[in-house]
Amino acid sequence: ATRMPDGTEAWPGWEDCAVPPARLGAYLRDFRGLLAEHGLRGAPYGHFGDGCIHVRIDFDLLTGPGIARFRRFSEELAGLVVAHGGSLSGEHGDGQARAELLPRMYGPDMVALFERVKG
């Protein structure tokens, strides 16, 4: 899962999204569309019965334009996951990589409460 069929690298970054299982088909269609819009490739795998999707994507993380595309894709995918009633982290936790996207899922007031609790 760390390489594409042609041998190019595929990277983590969206390993853990989850949507309600009843929305999985629609989500995967929209997800594939978003990959295509950004010229990216990735093969979803994971716990499909639970709606939890893992995927490594062939992001270009070595150039400025590639990193900018990763950021745009990440922001759009976060919106897509939330639009399907899902979670940015269905199994492993958010970590720092997606922390700035949490207000899209929880709203700014809830994130501020999380910060107070953690503080």
Side-chain angles (χ1 to χ4, degrees), residues 21-115:
R23 304 285 298 267
L24 184 60
Y27 168 74
L28 286 174
R29 284 187 291 278
D30 290 345
F31 174 76
R32 289 183 192 277
L34 189 62
L35 283 172
E37 285 176 33
H38 286 270
L40 296 168
R41 298 174 300 155
Y45 63 97
H47 318 284
F48 290 100
D50 294 326
C52 185
I53 308 304
H54 301 299
V55 62
R56 291 196 171 217
I57 300 171
D58 68 339
F59 295 116
D60 166 12
L61 299 177
L62 301 176
T63 67
I67 293 167
R69 179 169 48 170
F70 170 80
R71 184 174 192 79
R72 283 190 310 275
F73 177 84
S74 295
E75 291 169 350
E76 291 178 30
L77 183 55
L80 182 66
V81 169
V82 171
H84 281 278
S87 171
L88 302 179
S89 55
E91 183 180 13
H92 298 291
D94 301 304
Q96 293 299 309
R98 286 174 280 195
E100 73 177 89
L101 301 171
L102 292 179
R104 294 171 184 256
M105 188 169 70
Y106 294 111
D109 293 339
M110 185 62 73
V111 170
L113 180 60
F114 292 159
E115 290 170 352

